[in-house]
Amino acid sequence: MDQGKIGDPWSVLPIKNALYAKDCTEIDLSGRNLDSLQNFEDFPNLELLFLNKNRLGNLDAIRSNFRLKRVYVVENQLVNIDAVKNFKFLEVLLLSNNQLKDLDHLLAILSKLTFVEQLALNGNPVAEEPKYRLRIIAQMPKLKILDRHGNFWHTCSCDARRAREGS
């Protein structure tokens, strides 16, 4: 069975040894038409990851990279983001133009990401669900930018503000 094109962070390392991999904090595998990922467990200190413009359907291979702070997976074919639910330090998560659906399921994951300040889900089917923006804003207290729009308290209803503040 053909697995398609596999992305491996070792392929972009200038020095290919375990110490360099362990100390590596940034990987860019964008624009490589990747169908899947492998060997990310060898990179425990990753903080910044670019996977834009590939064909990835999930992020399971980065599940162990809980130190990630910024993840960019724009223009892929993601159908789930379950792998990021334990990324306690995540601040930026850009997932525009994928195939993400089911706002309730996404909110169950996103609400655990307490430090996320920037989130992009535009261009996904989930962004068309009723009250999408209001529900995201209400569940993510640190969020400052949603779908490239910041300072959204001026544009959202009082209902969302009350929901977020717990009143």
Side-chain angles (χ1 to χ4, degrees):
M1 183 172 113
D2 183 24
Q3 294 181 354
K5 197 164 182 186
I6 300 172
D8 189 329
W10 286 101
S11 69
V12 294
L13 284 190
I15 300 170
K16 295 180 181 11
N17 67 43
L19 181 59
Y20 198 86
K22 183 181 176 203
D23 290 341
C24 182
T25 59
E26 178 179 336
I27 293 288
D28 187 347
L29 291 174
S30 295
R32 296 169 182 253
N33 294 315
L34 305 175
D35 296 297
S36 62
L37 303 170
Q38 70 180 14
N39 295 327
F40 275 83
E41 65 277 0
D42 296 337
F43 296 77
N45 293 306
L46 274 184
E47 294 181 2
L48 177 59
L49 180 59
F50 295 95
L51 297 169
N52 299 321
K53 297 184 178 181
N54 285 298
R55 297 184 303 238
L56 301 172
N58 66 63
L59 298 173
D60 293 347
I62 67 168
R63 187 177 305 274
S64 65
N65 300 99
F66 63 90
R67 289 182 180 88
L68 280 164
K69 292 182 180 178
R70 296 178 297 188
V71 176
Y72 302 84
V73 196
V74 174
E75 294 184 32
N76 276 271
Q77 297 171 3
L78 290 180
V79 293
N80 80 64
I81 59 166
D82 295 351
V84 305
K85 66 183 167 192
N86 294 316
F87 290 8
K88 302 295 184 201
F89 306 105
L90 199 61
E91 298 169 358
V92 175
L93 182 59
L94 302 187
L95 304 169
S96 301
N97 302 314
N98 280 286
Q99 300 301 316
L100 298 170
K101 302 176 184 176
D102 190 354
L103 184 55
D104 290 328
H105 181 71
L106 280 177
L107 283 173
I109 295 166
L110 295 172
S111 64
K112 295 176 183 175
L113 305 176
T114 56
F115 293 105
V116 172
E117 294 183 353
Q118 184 176 357
L119 174 67
L121 293 169
N122 53 302
N124 284 284
V126 72
E128 303 302 319
E129 289 193 32
K131 298 186 179 183
Y132 153 79
R133 289 182 60 77
L134 299 178
R135 292 182 63 200
I136 295 276
I137 292 166
Q139 291 291 315
M140 301 186 74
K142 297 261 184 179
L143 197 61
K144 294 179 181 173
I145 300 171
L146 175 59
D147 298 336
R148 298 179 307 192
H149 299 286
N151 202 10
F152 40 74
W153 284 123
H154 298 291
T155 60
C156 73
S157 74
C158 293
D159 290 340
R161 186 174 298 156
R162 280 194 293 275
R164 184 170 181 171
E165 294 169 355
S167 33

